[in-house]
Amino acid sequence: MIILGKWRVLSIIMGSGVGYCVGILFILLGGAELGVREFVVEWICTGLLLLCLYHLCNVNRNKETC
């Protein structure tokens, strides 16, 4: 979905939004440590995916607009 979509950044942000909602759910249900860990993992994964997207766009700049 992310690689073939036209709006890749939006796809990454929407996928990360689901993870942040799960983190909020964990915090509300009493698992504060697990919720904070979920936020950290989502933050790292979102950053890595955006970096990969940036480098993919630089490699394929002549073939496709990103």
Side-chain angles (χ1 to χ4, degrees):
M1 176 175 102
I2 292 174
I3 296 198
L4 298 177
K6 288 187 178 183
W7 297 326
R8 296 175 184 166
V9 175
L10 181 63
S11 300
I12 292 172
I13 291 172
M14 287 176 58
S16 298
V18 172
Y20 288 123
C21 289
V22 169
I24 291 171
L25 185 65
F26 283 143
I27 290 173
L28 292 176
L29 293 176
E33 181 180 325
L34 187 59
V36 171
R37 189 173 298 151
E38 181 71 26
F39 281 125
V40 170
V41 168
E42 284 299 321
W43 183 74
I44 291 170
C45 288
T46 303
L48 289 175
L49 282 172
L50 288 173
L51 280 173
C52 290
L53 178 67
Y54 175 75
H55 288 292
L56 280 174
C57 288
N58 282 341
V59 170
N60 296 329
R61 190 165 302 274
N62 294 333
K63 296 180 184 177
E64 178 183 358
T65 59
C66 294

